[in-house]
């Protein structure tokens, strides 16, 4: 398996992996991409690639016998989750002791399951989190490049004001305004032209058909339609699906070998393969990349890796909460799954929060206003390698999550007080009003400028690069995929210009 000259290997097909694959392919470098999930391009017996959120089947989750949706209950009833048969489904929930992490599995990673919200962070907070990165260059070159490549667009404000599908957002905006809070539109990669056709009845419904966390059959510009399609179009990139990278080692000649298990649709390992490469790009996400590097360091395969590998992890301050509205404030039975508006209190020096107005599309009026709040929780967790399981543990405790919940509570207490409303107790289990024990936004573990140099070159492993969310130090104040994409663009343009020119 000696690598041919000039070959590259990419692990993962999320944002970081997809950018790496495209830019390597364009530069004429023969590139193999390993992805543990499946390729989602074939319809099932129901004629659809992905299953719906309302009637999840085996395609919904990564080897589970029951779905594990973020909202566990409704009116305290276990009506949300369904029994399913194990299969390499598209959404995974990785459970650590006091925090669980939702991630996408499949060609496209998180882009297959996420809400599509494409937000460029505030410049001041970006610079606070990543002080060594030239913000001028990011905001001039890499953020615009990422937005253009991802196909980011915005809802037509006139349609927003009139459509029944965003009544839930308008109601939350009104309540925020009463508390003196500003709202702002949130751009998205979902094609709003398509969505308007869905509403008009001239296109098959996806966002308006309740599809999101188990995949969108239409309308969403996920990575398989953008970066990855372009990468394959270079003719230099191949993707190996259902291949889980498990070990990395360095050969004497300085090349790398990645050991990967190929699994079948039952999850059984059917083959173990070794992939040699001159350069290795890790885009397995915050959890995947950190685990690979920690294991490599702790088992002695890459002993020179920095002590910083495993550190600096955070859930991007994610907290969900729901408010109960008055009977006259109906949120509508029809709700689009793509959020388009956020309560923007980021400039509040005492309690900066960005709270996205989230849908709860049940097809019935339920008077719930739901939110995903992104708070600026400064707490950080650490991953540790566990030799007994050959996996990783996450040191993160409930008190650390409480910091996010307390910040969200300060904001929503204000809104409830001004509108004489209360929280919903029935949505997250245990009569809790705030869900701070899971995240959609795992960030960190191989932080830029610490575990790597300022361009994602892994310290102690020349020729290995990190391009994904593990570079971002635990918090970025908004939904992270635009930042991850832009940082990956910055890394790839530097690495191709400098490292490949040598
Ligand atoms: P990402 O997780 O996307 O990709 C990693 C890939 O590597 C996956 O395909 C995985 O299967 C694969 N992999 C992992 N380990 C591997 C191994 N050992 N071998 C082979 N392959 C491996 N963000 C946002 O900006 N706006 C939003 O609206 C949302 N909404 C949202 C909703 C939900 C339900 C989720 C789960 C997430 C979001 N996010 C989001 C978060 C966003 O999707 C996330 O930040 C990015 O997908 C992270 O990109 P990465 O490139 O870091 O990894």
């Amino acid at each position: 398996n000696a690598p041919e000259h000039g070959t590259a290997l990419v692990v993962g097909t999320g944002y970081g992996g997809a950018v790496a694959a495209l830019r390597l392919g364009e530069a004429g470098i023969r590139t193999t991409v390993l992805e543990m999930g499946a390729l989602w391009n074939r319809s099932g017996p129901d004629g659809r690639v992905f299953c719906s959120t309302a009637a999840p089947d085996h395609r919904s989750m990564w080897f589970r016998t029951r779905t594990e949706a973020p909202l566990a209950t409704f009116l305290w009833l276990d009506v949300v989750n369904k029994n399913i048969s194990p299969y390499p489904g598209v959404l995974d929930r990785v459970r650590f002791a006091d925090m669980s992490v939702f991630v996408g599995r499949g060609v496209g990673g998180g882009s297959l399951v996420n809400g599509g919200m494409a937000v460029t962070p505030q410049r001041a907070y970006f610079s606070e989190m990543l002080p060594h990165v030239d913000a001028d260059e990011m905001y001039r070159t890499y953020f615009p490049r990422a937005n253009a490549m991802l196909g980011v667009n915005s809802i037509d404000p006139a349609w927003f004001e009139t459509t029944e599908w965003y009544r839930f957002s308008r109601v939350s905006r009104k309540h925020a305004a009463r508390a003196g809070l500003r709202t702002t539109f949130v751009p998205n990669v979902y094609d709003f032209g398509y969505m308007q056709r869905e509403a008009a009845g001239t296109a098959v419904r996806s966002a308006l058909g309740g599809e999101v966390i188990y995949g969108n059959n239409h309308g969403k510009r996920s990575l398989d339609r953008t970066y990855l399609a372009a990468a394959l179009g270079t003719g230099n990139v191949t993707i190996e699906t259902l291949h889980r990278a498990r070990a990395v080692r360095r050969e004497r000649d300085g090349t790398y070998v990645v050991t990967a298990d190929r699994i079948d649709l039952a999850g059984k390992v059917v083959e173990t393969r070794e992939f040699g490469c001159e350069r290795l790009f890790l885009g397995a996400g915050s959890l995947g990349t950190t685990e690979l590097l920690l294991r490599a360091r702790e088992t002695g395969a890459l002993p020179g890796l920095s002590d910083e590998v495993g550190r600096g992890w955070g859930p991007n301050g994610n907290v969900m909460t729901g408010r109960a509205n008055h009977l006259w404030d109906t949120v509508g039975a029809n709700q689009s799954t793509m959020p388009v508006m956020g309560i923007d209190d980021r400039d509040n020096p005492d309690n900066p929060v960005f709270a996205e107005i989230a849908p709860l599309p049940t097809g019935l009026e339920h008077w719930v206003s739901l939110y995903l709040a992104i708070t600026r929780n400064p707490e950080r967790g650490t991953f540790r390698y566990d030799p007994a399981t050959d996996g990783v543990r996450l040191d993160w405790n409930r008190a650390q999550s409480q910091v996010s919940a307390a910040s969200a509570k300060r904001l929503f207490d204000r809104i409830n007080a001004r509108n004489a409303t209360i929280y919903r107790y029935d949505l997250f289990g245990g009569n809790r009003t705030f869900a701070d024990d899971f995240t959609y936004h795992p960030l960190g573990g191989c932080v830029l400028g610490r575990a790597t140099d300022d361009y994602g070159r892994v310290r102690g492993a020349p020729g290995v690069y990190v391009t994904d969310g593990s570079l971002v130090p635990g918090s970025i104040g908004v939904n992270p995929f635009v930042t991850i994409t832009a940082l990956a663009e910055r890394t790839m343009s530097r690495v191709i210009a400098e490292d490949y020119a040598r």
Side-chain angles (χ1 to χ4, degrees), residues 57-118:
D57 61 23
H58 61 283
R59 292 169 287 186
S60 61
M61 291 204 72
W62 183 253
F63 297 110
R64 288 295 194 290
T65 52
R66 192 165 171 80
T67 59
E68 297 181 23
L71 259 65
T73 55
F74 187 71
L75 293 172
W76 292 277
L77 298 173
D78 185 11
V79 289
V80 178
N81 287 312
K82 303 276 190 295
N83 290 335
I84 53 172
S85 51
Y87 186 79
V90 73
L91 181 69
D92 198 0
R93 180 174 191 162
V94 182
R95 290 182 181 271
F96 298 102
D98 283 322
M99 172 59 65
S100 68
V101 181
F102 283 98
V103 290
R105 299 267 181 243
V107 175
S111 78
L112 298 172
V113 297
N114 67 31
M117 286 177 275

Side-chain angles (χ1 to χ4, degrees), residues 11-17 34-37 62 70 91-92 102-111 113-119 188 212-213 223 243-246 283-289 292 339 356 372 439-443 467-470 478-482 484:
V11 181
T13 56
Y15 296 89
L34 306 181
E35 168 56 54
M36 67 191 272
W62 183 253
L91 181 69
D92 198 0
F102 283 98
V103 290
R105 299 267 181 243
V107 175
S111 78
V113 297
N114 67 31
M117 286 177 275
V119 193
N188 203 294
V212 58
I213 57 170
L223 290 167
H243 276 66
R244 181 170 174 270
R246 132 163 92 75
S286 166
L287 303 186
T289 290
L292 276 170
E356 272 136 10
L372 170 65
T439 182
Y440 302 115
H441 301 166
L443 295 174
T467 61
D468 58 27
S470 47
V478 292
N479 320 61
F481 74 59
V482 171
I484 294 167

Side-chain angles (χ1 to χ4, degrees), residues 13 36 79 155 212 214 241 258 282 305 360 390 394 402 432 446:
T13 56
M36 67 191 272
V79 289
I155 193 166
V212 58
Y214 303 136
T241 59
V258 170
L282 297 176
L305 296 180
L360 182 53
D390 192 32
L394 174 62
Q402 281 286 312
R432 291 177 308 150
C446 299

